[in-house]
Structures are given as structure tokens and as C-alpha cells.
Amino acid sequence: MASSMNIESGTMSVDHHDKGSKSQESNKKKPINWPLLLLNAAFMAIGVIGGPLLSRLYYLHGGGRKWVNTFTQSGGFPILFGPLFFLYLRHRSNPQSTHFFMESKLFVASAIVGVFVGLDNFLYTLGLSYLPVSTSSILYATQLAFIAVFARIIVRQKFTPFTINSVVLMTLGSVLLGLRTSGDRPAGVTGKGYLFGFFLTLASAGLIGLVWPCVELCYAKATRVLNFTVVLQFQLNVAAFATIVSFIAMIANKDFQAMQRESREYGLGQTMYVVVLVAGAVVWQFSFLGGLGVIFCVGSLFNGILSAVLLPMTEIAAVFAYHEKFTGEKGMALALCLWGFTSYFYGEYQTNKKAKALTKEQADDQYN
């Protein structure tokens, strides 16, 4: 296993002739770069917890432009030019380095993924305008169920009884939230509006559940050896095309003209209006960068699991920051999600334990 924090050493060798389950097995056998995984997990934590809070803060004090809020979820991509420029200088100073820029087919794939991410951002943002952060976060955690299904179809992800149990429990949690629509509705939101936000958030979870396994497939189909530099380029391109989608929609919706008036009327003041949007753009960028990095290090299903484990922190933060109600339904849904998360990791522990025992047994047989 890698023990240093050398980003470029976090490579991922892929035989592009392998298909289906062989490709997936190959990915599982590669050693995990733990420092890199922990760094990306930290990025995800910042984004998954802070992103929804800042997006909701925009709405709570008078913001109402849905595409403006959508823009912040991907518009922070210029911050990636800094680390990429540093890595490029390192690449130029190393005579043994070969390729720096990602392959053309990864560029095309990241552009397509970016368009879908832009649409997903809009669905999530629109849903959040009708829901409290705590409810939205629990619903969005159901992306794990969608990731599991699509990962099975797209990258031949193997299921265990513990994985299936985890997916079922988290799905039940979201269904439980949908049974009651009046306990935690924000002021001014009707019952129909609440249900509209409920289904929009579920649709967003489903779409991102499709996107993540597709990203894993893109990595697996790469011809050249992948490293984290390529992951950064992939994320930059994804965010750039997602931002283009939002930018075009903002022009069509005349949002740029409306932002001046909205900033003057914003409840926290004109300066804080800008701060909220800029901070949201930076924080959301950490979320997506961390997600792509986790997929690079482990896989799309683990990315969904990690998002789920950050759920309680988002819940607690929303309750304290915005004094949202923590209803019995939310408590039960949260318990089901945590139960599902525990089930998944216990299953992974048992699988790894059996794999190590089998490896030891085979080694002993060869020795004898």
C-alpha cells in the first residue's frame, strides 16, 4: 500500500482489453493509496456538509434564482487551475514523465458527464428550495441505492447480502420521509410544493447515482495509466461543462439582470450575498472533487457509502444552524440509513477477512 502523500504516485493501471467483471476485479485488487483516499474523503466532508447549508442560506434570506444557486455547485472549478499548474511544473521538471494531459476520449466523456451533472445540480437545487436541509440530505442519501443498481449494470459490481440489506434499509428511510409531508415544511411551502421537492430530490439522487458508475467506467476504459492529475483534469472539465449548462440557462432566464436587484434586497446585505454565493461555489467544488477522487481510489459504490456516513453530520449541522425540526420520521429514517451503512461495512469486513484467509491458505499450499 502507498504510504506517502505523493499525488502522482496514486496511479491506477487498467487493462483496457478486460471487460465486465474482469475489469471490476482488477480494480478491487489494486492497492489503496490511503493518504490520497483520506484527502478526498476530507474534501467530500467539506462539500457534503457545507454545500447544502450554504445553498439553503441563499434561499432563507431572499435568494430565489434557481439557476444562480445551481451555478454555484459547479462554478468554483477555476480553483483547480492552481494545483494543476503546480503538477504541470513538476511534470515539466521530471524528464521521465510521459503524458500529462488526459486522453481525448476521457475529455469527451467528462464533457458528457458534465452536462448530466449540470442537470442534476438543477434538480437538487430546485428540490432544496422546497425542503429543509435535513430532509433533503436524507433523501439525497438514497443515491446509494441508485449507485448500487447502476454499478451492478454498468461496472458489474458484485452484491453481497449485506450490500442488498444496506440498499433496502436506506431506501425504506426515504419512503418513510415521504409518508408525512406536513411536519417539517418550510414557511410558505404548500403540501404539493413539499411533494414536488421530495420527488425532485429523489430524481437528483437517481441521476447522480447513474453518473458515478459511469465515471468509474470511464476510468476503467482509459487506455493509459491513470493518476490523480488526470482525475483533477476530469473534474475540471466536468465542472466546466456543468457550469456552461447553468450559464446558458441563466442568460435565458435573465438571471444576471435580476441578481443586482436581488443582492440589494438580500436579507444579510449585498456583501454577504456575494460571500454566500462564492463560498458555496468553493465548498461544492470540494464535494465533487472528493467524489471523483474516492471513485479513483476505491469505486463508485464506496463513494455512495461515504456520502451516507456524512449524513448525520449534515443533519446535526442543519438542526443547529437553521433550527430545523428533527421529527420522529427523520429520526427513524436516519436510524435506517445508519443501520444500512453499518451493514455495508460489516459485509465488507467479512469479505476482506475471508479473502485474506483464502490468500494465506493458498500461500501455505504453495509453500508445502
Side-chain angles (χ1 to χ4, degrees):
M1 291 185 181
S3 59
S4 67
M5 197 57 207
N6 186 341
I7 292 180
E8 289 191 306
S9 68
T11 56
M12 174 180 179
S13 298
V14 179
D15 182 356
H16 64 283
H17 296 294
D18 290 342
K19 295 181 180 179
S21 60
K22 291 183 179 179
S23 174
Q24 183 66 18
E25 289 173 5
S26 173
N27 288 343
K28 286 185 176 181
K29 291 178 182 178
K30 74 184 181 74
I32 296 176
N33 186 330
W34 285 102
L36 187 59
L37 176 59
L38 291 174
L39 175 65
N40 283 287
F43 286 162
M44 276 192 69
I46 293 171
V48 170
I49 297 171
L53 294 177
L54 288 167
S55 292
R56 186 63 189 164
L57 184 63
Y58 168 76
Y59 288 129
L60 284 175
H61 295 280
R65 313 303 295 187
K66 308 300 188 296
W67 280 109
V68 171
N69 213 351
T70 301
F71 183 92
T72 64
Q73 294 189 41
S74 58
F77 71 89
I79 67 174
L80 300 179
F81 284 112
L84 275 173
F85 181 69
F86 170 74
L87 291 171
Y88 179 71
L89 292 179
R90 284 189 57 186
H91 166 79
R92 290 290 301 272
S93 63
N94 185 359
Q96 296 181 347
S97 297
T98 54
H99 302 285
F100 178 82
F101 296 103
M102 63 179 171
E103 307 167 48
S104 57
K105 64 181 179 181
L106 280 181
F107 178 88
V108 174
S110 61
I112 296 172
V113 169
V115 172
F116 281 102
V117 167
L119 295 175
D120 178 78
N121 289 345
F122 178 69
L123 290 174
Y124 175 83
T125 301
L126 188 57
L128 186 61
S129 67
Y130 295 99
L131 300 174
V133 173
S134 51
T135 302
S136 175
S137 297
I138 293 177
L139 287 173
Y140 201 64
T142 60
Q143 64 176 281
L144 174 62
F146 294 106
I147 289 174
V149 172
F150 289 123
R152 175 63 179 171
I153 298 171
I154 296 172
V155 294
R156 303 294 189 267
Q157 173 73 46
K158 290 184 178 179
F159 278 1
T160 66
F162 295 100
T163 305
I164 296 172
N165 183 53
S166 175
V167 170
V168 170
L169 287 171
M170 289 192 170
T171 304
L172 286 175
S174 66
V175 172
L176 184 63
L177 282 178
L179 295 179
R180 185 180 178 188
T181 62
S182 60
D184 65 340
R185 285 206 312 264
V189 176
T190 64
K192 289 183 179 180
Y194 185 97
L195 283 176
F196 184 54
F198 179 91
F199 287 113
L200 281 173
T201 306
L202 278 183
S204 175
L207 184 54
I208 202 66
L210 171 64
V211 166
W212 290 134
C214 287
V215 169
E216 185 176 354
L217 180 65
C218 291
Y219 290 167
K221 293 298 182 181
T223 305
R224 298 199 297 259
V225 173
L226 292 180
N227 55 36
F228 197 65
T229 301
V230 174
V231 174
L232 280 174
Q233 294 176 42
F234 194 94
Q235 164 60 9
L236 191 150
N237 209 38
V238 167
F241 275 88
T243 303
I244 290 172
V245 172
S246 302
F247 187 80
I248 294 173
M250 287 174 66
I251 294 175
N253 203 37
K254 300 185 185 323
D255 283 335
F256 289 103
Q257 297 90 321
M259 285 177 68
Q260 294 184 358
R261 184 191 73 254
E262 188 175 74
S263 66
R264 290 193 298 269
E265 299 173 356
Y266 193 63
L268 297 178
Q270 198 165 5
T271 301
M272 281 302 299
Y273 178 84
V274 177
V275 170
V276 168
L277 292 180
V278 172
V282 173
V283 168
W284 275 116
Q285 196 60 218
F286 278 120
S287 173
F288 287 104
L289 175 60
L292 289 175
V294 168
I295 293 173
F296 168 73
C297 293
V298 184
S300 57
L301 185 59
F302 184 78
N303 176 51
I305 293 293
L306 186 57
S307 296
V309 78
L310 293 170
L311 167 67
M313 301 179 193
T314 309
E315 283 273 304
I316 294 170
V319 170
F320 279 99
Y322 301 140
H323 307 290
E324 294 182 355
K325 294 180 182 178
F326 194 82
T327 62
E329 288 83 357
K330 286 184 184 180
M332 291 181 66
L334 180 58
L336 287 171
C337 286
L338 291 175
W339 183 8
F341 168 77
T342 305
S343 174
Y344 173 84
F345 269 96
Y346 181 74
E348 287 297 295
Y349 168 76
Q350 292 293 334
T351 300
N352 291 334
K353 185 178 178 181
K354 290 179 181 178
K356 288 180 180 179
L358 181 61
T359 302
K360 186 178 183 300
E361 183 179 339
Q362 292 174 345
D364 292 340
D365 291 341
Q366 290 178 356
Y367 180 77
N368 296 330

